[in-house]
Structure formats: C-alpha cells, structure tokens
Amino acid sequence: MFGSALPVVQRYAELLAGAGVERGLIGPAETARIWDRHLLNSAVVAELIPRCASVADLGSGAGLPGLVLAISLPSSVLTLIEPMERRTAFLNECVAELGLVNVEVRRGRAEDLSGRISADVVTSRAVARLDRLAVLAAGLARPGGQVLAIKGAAASRELEEARPVLGRLGANDVAIVSAGVGLLSQPVTVVRFTTTLPAARLRT
C-alpha cells in the first residue's frame, strides 16, 4: 500500500508508539493496533482525494489521517489543523523527523481559521458528530471543495441527523462511500459532500 514510502510510515509508527503514547496522544492499548486501526485506515482515504489537491486535516491530533495522507500523497499540500499546543508540538516534531516537505501545521480552532484556509479537500477523523463537523469543515473548504468525514458504524444515523445542517450549508453530492475495498477486511466508511458556499456566508 505504501510502496517506497513504507520506511517513513514505519518510523511514524514508532513515533506514535513512543512519544505519542508518552504524551497521551494515543492510549497505550492502541500500540498493538497502530497499523490496522490507524495507519492503514488513514492511508486508504487517499484514494478519495484527487491528485495534487490541497488538503486540510481538521483536528489532526496525533496526525491521523493527516500525516499518513501527506506521506501517501507527496504531490498534495497538507495543512494540519489542531488547537492543542502539545499536539501541534508533536506534529511539528514528526514532520521534521519524517522529512515531510508538503506539510504545514496550524495551531488554532476551525472556527478561527474559517475563511483563512481554502482547501480542495477537508478531512477529519474522530473529531465531532457530523452535524457539528460539517459546519467546521465547510468553513475550511473552497466553494466546490469536498469534505471527507471518516466515520464508523454510526455514519448512516449521523448523516440523517445532519441533513438539516447540510441543507443550510448548501451541501451537494452527499453520500456515504467506502475506502479500502479489496485492501482492508473492513473498509473505511466516509461521509462525503461537496461545499457550495464561501466561508464568509457560512459565518453569517
């Protein structure tokens, strides 16, 4: 799946299992599942992202999926958005250690960065329920950009609850899609929609 970038991903796995656990960015129990639950699940989302697209990863945390996507998509520019200082410190250390030149780490809340970032694609994983997440993510996407919200078994229920919000946002092409079919035993469930309104309109 990672090809020649595998050594970089392996080093990132070591950072997650080491400093990531020590600083409380991931739980100790997650070290045994770093590859199947975190790295591979993040990597397959790359198949949904157009080549050379600019990507904003909302609530990057320990870098999932943002850092994995940066490794998998060297022709894309990734902006990792995270409000907590200890997490952005870890992200910056990972970027330096892994030698990633296509990543910018931005410390701040999505609400404050709305309109200041205009990405082709906005990704998120385990950030918030879809009705709340949709508003935050849409403010970081350009009009006509895509939002990819990585969700689990509750995706259908969250989508139904979020439809009034998506309607107010003017979201188009709303769908639940799967990533990693044929690669993972359990493909990743993603809620995808296209934005239509500029960030300034979303704040009014």
Side-chain angles (χ1 to χ4, degrees):
M1 185 181 297
F2 295 107
S4 61
L6 180 58
V8 182
V9 182
Q10 290 172 325
R11 178 58 185 141
Y12 177 46
E14 293 171 356
L15 293 169
L16 285 174
V21 172
E22 293 166 7
R23 301 184 193 182
L25 300 183
I26 66 170
E30 295 301 305
T31 56
R33 302 186 292 183
I34 283 176
W35 283 94
D36 58 352
R37 183 172 182 178
H38 298 295
L39 299 178
L40 296 179
N41 278 14
S42 296
V44 295
V45 177
E47 70 188 44
L48 303 176
I49 299 175
R51 181 176 174 81
C52 298
S54 60
V55 181
D57 185 40
L58 171 58
S60 287
L64 301 162
L67 285 178
V68 180
L69 292 175
I71 297 168
S72 303
L73 300 168
S75 61
S76 290
V77 175
L78 277 287
T79 302
L80 310 187
I81 300 165
E82 172 56 50
M84 294 186 64
E85 184 177 5
R86 65 186 176 90
R87 293 176 178 172
T88 55
F90 176 77
L91 291 172
N92 279 311
E93 289 168 17
C94 287
V95 169
E97 174 70 21
L98 302 175
L100 299 176
V101 297
N102 61 332
V103 180
E104 177 188 13
V105 178
R106 296 281 296 270
R107 184 185 174 199
R109 302 187 310 153
E111 299 95 325
D112 299 328
L113 294 173
S114 177
R116 297 165 60 186
I117 293 175
S118 183
D120 298 322
V121 178
V122 178
T123 59
S124 69
R125 181 177 187 258
V127 172
R129 292 185 62 82
L130 187 60
D131 52 358
R132 171 64 174 155
L133 175 64
V135 177
L136 298 175
L140 303 171
R142 64 170 177 78
Q146 286 193 353
V147 173
L148 301 176
I150 302 172
K151 292 291 181 180
S156 296
R157 183 176 71 250
E158 286 195 36
L159 176 55
E160 289 308 309
E161 293 173 352
R163 284 197 182 277
V165 173
L166 292 169
R168 291 195 294 272
L169 292 175
N172 287 333
D173 305 319
V174 181
I176 296 176
V177 298
S178 296
V181 176
L183 295 172
L184 303 179
S185 58
Q186 291 186 320
V188 176
T189 302
V190 179
V191 178
R192 180 176 63 190
F193 66 89
T194 302
T195 62
T196 60
L197 300 178
R201 288 276 305 279
L202 295 173
R203 293 195 295 269
T204 60

